[in-house]
Amino acid sequence: MPTPSMEDYIEQIYMLIEDKGYARVSDIAEALSVHPSSVTKMVQKLDKDEYLVYEKYRGLILTPKGKKIGKRLVYRHELLEQLLRIIGVKEENIYEDVEGIEHHLSWDAIDRVGDLVQFFEEDESRIGVLREIQRKNEEEQ
């Protein structure tokens, strides 16, 4: 299993390839706000662990293993963003909150989060009930 740091790189590489068709070291460094030398070291490690194939000066491609994990990591991130929006977290806090929790949840917990998001989305009135509870709780503070 990849470490949280490896997951961040795989997720970012997957998104860059999906968006642009490729991922360069400089693009990854910019997206993750790290030095290109750090990206090169991590990319070499991900290559060694068979998440991607990296050829110096020629770029990189995700292996089937890397693509599968990348897709799953993007799903996890988007699902957690959905949940936080549903429960009323302020938009300006969502990205940082997801970054803070996504690596600390098991895939079982992510599956349950998916169930909860589905529960709310299947009946919009449930979100209304939640908002009413939140409103009452805020009045009591």
Side-chain angles (χ1 to χ4, degrees):
M1 257 334 264
T3 65
S5 180
M6 291 167 74
E7 286 182 348
D8 286 339
Y9 278 84
I10 294 168
E11 180 180 5
Q12 192 60 57
I13 291 166
Y14 179 87
M15 290 189 310
L16 284 166
I17 291 172
E18 286 293 302
D19 291 345
K20 299 170 91 173
Y22 60 90
R24 298 179 310 205
V25 167
S26 58
D27 298 324
I28 299 163
E30 183 180 333
L32 294 174
S33 301
V34 296
H35 293 290
S37 60
S38 299
V39 175
T40 299
K41 286 178 190 169
M42 180 58 80
V43 164
Q44 290 169 341
K45 178 166 180 34
L46 293 170
D47 184 8
K48 180 178 155 286
D49 292 350
E50 301 179 344
Y51 292 105
L52 55 80
V53 176
Y54 174 65
E55 293 180 28
K56 195 171 184 180
Y57 307 117
R58 300 201 16 102
L60 56 94
I61 58 167
L62 289 169
T63 63
K65 173 182 171 181
K67 282 181 190 173
K68 180 180 179 184
I69 290 175
K71 186 175 185 174
R72 210 164 171 211
L73 294 171
V74 169
Y75 165 77
R76 175 181 72 185
H77 190 101
E78 290 172 352
L79 182 66
L80 291 169
E81 283 186 356
Q82 271 183 286
L83 174 68
L84 295 184
R85 279 189 187 94
I86 287 170
I87 64 172
V89 173
K90 291 179 183 139
E91 195 63 37
E92 63 266 20
N93 296 331
I94 289 177
Y95 183 81
E96 287 298 318
D97 287 347
V98 169
E99 286 297 310
I101 63 174
E102 67 183 340
H103 300 295
H104 301 284
L105 297 175
S106 68
W107 286 104
D108 179 48
I110 294 299
D111 290 341
R112 300 301 65 84
V113 167
D115 296 342
L116 186 60
V117 167
Q118 182 180 350
F119 173 79
F120 281 109
E121 289 182 339
E122 283 181 354
D123 184 348
E124 294 283 321
S125 70
R126 295 170 179 155
I127 295 174
V129 172
L130 177 61
R131 295 290 178 267
E132 185 58 28
I133 291 169
Q134 290 169 334
R135 188 187 62 71
K136 286 179 184 174
N137 287 341
E138 287 176 9
E139 286 176 0
E140 292 175 4
Q141 292 179 355

